[in-house]
Amino acid sequence: PYGSFLATLVPSKGVILWGGDKYEKIARFPAPGVDVVLFSPCENYLLTSNNNRDDPEAVKVFSIQTGKLQRAFPLFPKGFIPDDLTAQEKTQIPPPAFQWSFDDKYIARMGKDIISIYDTSTFKLLDSRSLVANGIQEFQFSPKANIVACWSPESGNSPAHVDIVELPSRKKLRQKNLFNVTKCSMVWQDEGTYLAVRVTRHTKSKKTLYNNLELFRLEEPGVPVEMLDIKDFIMALAWEPGGNRFAMVHAENPSSTKVSVSFYDMKKTMVTPAKGKKKQETTIVNEVNLMETLTGKQCNYIFWSPAGQNIILASLGDSASGALEFYDVETKALVIKEHYRANQVVWDPSGRTVASVVSQPIQGGHFKFAMDNGYVLWTFQGKQLHQQSFETFYQLQWRPRENLLDKEEKATVLKNLKKYEREFDKADKALTFKLQLNATKAKRALRTDFRNRMKRLNELRQQQKETRVALYNGYDSDDQSNYVTNEVSIETILSTKEEVV
């Protein structure tokens, strides 16, 4: 998460950790059959998994500092897979994933009607018991607080509900009941300020599906919830990093080739016009509002820049067009590019550069689009920087970077941007002058070297003159009197102009 370590997997043995100034080998973690590695957010722990359903220690958690095994878990919690399923049906059930809290204090995973939360100081269950969540289908930690969001479907006379639970007190901050629910999916804003729950509902006949968004405001008292009705099918939703805006891709049905992309803001600016001696007033209220909708797009994924403001509307996949639309939400500038067969888009942590990728599954096997493997680097404005092709290409990742400025410090920088611009312009001019000076010195060195070489060659030619004249039977090619000079003048009429007097 901070870019301090690089893990390489040796499936027969385990994981090798690299780091330091020279990225040297730091530690080894024994984990035979490992095929998944997950760092904790604060880089204190390393989780490995071999995805072996029969291994009672399929998942292992190591301390990065000491290298010791903290605890091992089976791939599935006890009772997670129903006993009445066939062997083939059991293999279709994916294992529940472990999730870390933002501060490495807890690690948790979903079980049958429970969330098992482990305190990393002891790696035992928090308060020696799991968090009861009947029928739970999904849970997620807040990115910036020890808060868990989870949802459960309807059961008997109980409606479906989304719960916001604080840890370690287990206090329920908010519960939102939902009716006629088919499915829910949750998306946190990166600072934990907002939570969007995309709810797919059905009519009483269950033949017609429709969507709405439940938007939770976590930093306000009582955690108020706003409902946003969406008639279309929501295909993708993403929050702007560090901001109040979110974007979503929607269409009348999931198979539509033409979609719309809508941008919403969780804060609304209200302007009170000037009246009499009262000046115009601008107030910001907490109310979701539609900013704009782009129609007729061919995208199925959206990727915000980590710096915000810029977003890529991407058409990814084998049957997609590979279109990449670079859109600036502030200036409304739109640049359309294309990377055929692209199946990934990866921003660098600064938000200045982005990579579009064509990669093949790392598990091996035949990949019919191997000729297209590789990546293209773009600026955030859509200008191509570099292209690289590979016969076999599995993965591209940017090295993570820790964010050194908090929200208030970033606001201060933006406020004093002109001051910093002058400083940076001055530094840029000094750097440009230095580069020009170095270039001039290099040119002078080349000119001096050329002149010295010509001087040596002329001296050598003078030393060889007698021998050369003797070989030419007395003819001296350097004697100008041996040449006949003819001067020829050629006149060319470039234009003519006639004037009648």
Side-chain angles (χ1 to χ4, degrees):
Y2 298 151
S4 306
F5 304 108
L6 174 68
T8 54
L9 281 62
V10 183
S12 61
K13 296 181 180 179
V15 180
I16 300 176
L17 203 63
W18 308 78
D21 295 339
K22 298 180 180 179
Y23 260 78
E24 299 172 326
K25 191 183 297 182
I26 292 178
R28 291 176 180 266
F29 301 97
V34 60
D35 62 2
V36 175
V37 164
L38 178 66
F39 285 97
S40 65
C42 298
E43 296 184 343
N44 292 315
Y45 304 100
L46 180 73
L47 181 146
T48 67
S49 173
N50 59 20
N51 281 319
N52 186 346
R53 294 171 178 252
D54 300 321
D55 187 355
E57 296 187 349
V59 180
K60 296 180 178 180
V61 182
F62 296 90
S63 167
I64 291 178
Q65 296 298 324
T66 64
K68 292 182 179 179
L69 176 65
Q70 300 297 308
R71 180 156 179 173
F73 303 88
L75 197 61
F76 290 89
K78 187 177 180 181
F80 185 80
I81 301 178
D83 296 329
D84 56 351
L85 298 181
T86 64
Q88 185 176 359
E89 289 173 333
K90 289 181 179 179
T91 59
Q92 302 301 316
I93 299 177
F98 278 94
Q99 296 186 37
W100 293 97
S101 65
F102 82 104
D103 56 359
D104 285 8
K105 196 171 183 179
Y106 306 108
I107 183 173
R109 76 168 167 182
M110 185 174 67
K112 181 176 174 55
D113 298 328
I114 58 172
I115 303 174
S116 297
I117 304 170
Y118 299 89
D119 188 333
T120 55
S121 61
T122 60
F123 275 90
K124 294 181 180 179
L125 281 173
L126 179 65
D127 297 334
S128 302
R129 58 193 174 94
S130 296
L131 179 66
V132 177
N134 292 326
I136 181 173
Q137 296 294 304
E138 181 189 4
F139 85 96
Q140 291 183 19
F141 273 107
S142 165
K144 294 294 182 182
N146 285 321
I147 293 174
V148 170
C150 59
W151 82 273
S152 301
E154 298 175 41
S155 177
N157 295 324
S158 300
H161 52 92
V162 176
D163 297 331
I164 310 293
V165 182
E166 185 183 53
L167 296 177
S169 65
R170 302 175 188 248
K171 178 184 177 182
K172 193 172 288 188
L173 301 178
R174 189 70 159 87
Q175 177 174 308
K176 174 67 175 179
N177 291 332
L178 306 168
F179 298 90
N180 301 325
V181 174
T182 300
K183 186 181 178 182
C184 289
S185 59
M186 301 183 293
V187 183
W188 280 98
Q189 188 247 16
D190 69 322
E191 294 180 341
T193 307
Y194 309 108
L195 171 68
V197 180
R198 184 176 67 185
V199 184
T200 304
R201 299 176 185 266
H202 56 259
T203 56
K204 290 184 178 180
S205 63
K206 297 188 178 181
K207 292 182 179 179
T208 305
L209 299 178
Y210 60 99
N211 286 260
N212 73 274
L213 288 177
E214 302 288 344
L215 302 167
F216 294 75
R217 298 178 182 269
L218 274 294
E219 292 187 351
E220 293 183 36
V223 190
V225 184
E226 287 183 72
M227 187 179 76
L228 187 63
D229 278 322
I230 308 294
K231 294 180 180 179
D232 291 348
F233 181 84
I234 301 174
M235 303 167 69
L237 184 146
W239 290 95
E240 179 186 24
N244 302 307
R245 298 177 289 202
F246 66 90
M248 65 178 178
V249 180
H250 55 97
E252 287 187 6
N253 60 73
S255 58
S256 297
T257 55
K258 296 290 185 179
V259 301
S260 299
V261 181
S262 294
F263 296 88
Y264 288 84
D265 196 334
M266 294 294 286
K267 294 185 180 294
K268 187 175 183 179
T269 302
M270 306 286 288
V271 178
T272 304
K275 188 176 181 181
K277 294 184 178 180
K278 272 192 173 183
K279 295 182 179 179
Q280 178 177 294
E281 293 183 357
T282 301
T283 56
I284 298 175
V285 296
N286 292 327
E287 181 183 333
V288 65
N289 68 99
L290 175 64
M291 297 168 57
E292 64 174 322
T293 297
L294 307 178
T295 58
K297 298 299 177 182
Q298 288 185 322
C299 63
N300 51 7
Y301 292 92
I302 45 180
F303 302 93
W304 282 98
S305 161
Q309 185 171 332
N310 295 282
I311 190 171
I312 293 179
L313 318 177
S315 179
L316 305 181
D318 297 344
S319 59
S321 64
L324 302 172
E325 300 187 41
F326 296 78
Y327 185 64
D328 189 319
V329 181
E330 299 287 347
T331 65
K332 314 303 180 188
L334 177 66
V335 177
I336 301 175
K337 299 292 183 178
E338 183 179 317
H339 186 181
Y340 187 58
R341 301 288 188 197
N343 50 25
Q344 292 180 59
V345 171
V346 191
W347 281 97
D348 91 302
S350 72
R352 298 190 62 81
T353 311
V354 63
S356 56
V357 181
V358 180
S359 61
Q360 65 190 80
I362 201 167
Q363 288 82 5
H366 176 67
F367 183 59
K368 59 182 178 180
F369 305 124
M371 294 295 292
D372 300 308
N373 279 352
Y375 65 89
V376 179
L377 295 182
W378 314 83
T379 67
F380 67 96
Q381 296 169 321
K383 180 182 177 181
Q384 184 173 324
L385 298 174
H386 179 70
Q387 182 174 2
Q388 185 70 50
S389 298
F390 297 93
E391 186 175 345
T392 54
F393 189 58
Y394 301 107
Q395 188 181 42
L396 183 145
Q397 284 187 346
W398 294 95
R399 180 183 178 185
R401 288 293 186 185
E402 184 178 1
N403 195 346
L404 300 178
L405 300 179
D406 58 28
K407 201 168 184 178
E408 289 74 18
E409 289 172 325
K410 288 181 180 178
T412 303
V413 171
L414 290 173
K415 185 179 179 180
N416 301 316
L417 196 57
K418 289 187 177 180
K419 172 188 171 183
Y420 295 122
E421 280 179 353
R422 288 193 293 268
E423 293 178 4
F424 290 141
D425 286 342
K426 186 177 178 181
D428 286 343
K429 288 179 181 177
L431 181 61
T432 302
F433 178 75
K434 185 178 179 181
L435 291 174
Q436 290 176 345
L437 187 62
N438 290 337
T440 302
K441 287 180 179 178
K443 290 177 182 178
R444 288 176 178 172
L446 286 172
R447 185 174 60 196
T448 302
D449 182 60
F450 175 77
R451 288 174 175 173
N452 291 336
R453 187 182 297 115
M454 291 302 298
K455 183 179 179 181
R456 290 197 306 271
L457 292 174
N458 287 329
E459 289 175 353
L460 179 63
R461 184 175 178 82
Q462 289 299 321
Q463 293 173 7
Q464 296 173 342
K465 183 174 182 178
E466 293 182 7
T467 305
R468 185 172 63 255
V469 170
L471 289 173
Y472 286 159
N473 296 321
Y475 172 73
D476 184 5
S477 60
D478 291 337
D479 189 353
Q480 295 296 324
S481 63
N482 291 327
Y483 295 90
V484 177
T485 303
N486 293 326
E487 291 186 3
V488 179
S489 298
I490 300 175
E491 293 184 357
T492 303
I493 298 175
L494 299 178
S495 64
T496 60
K497 184 178 180 180
E498 294 183 2
E499 290 185 1
V500 178
V501 178

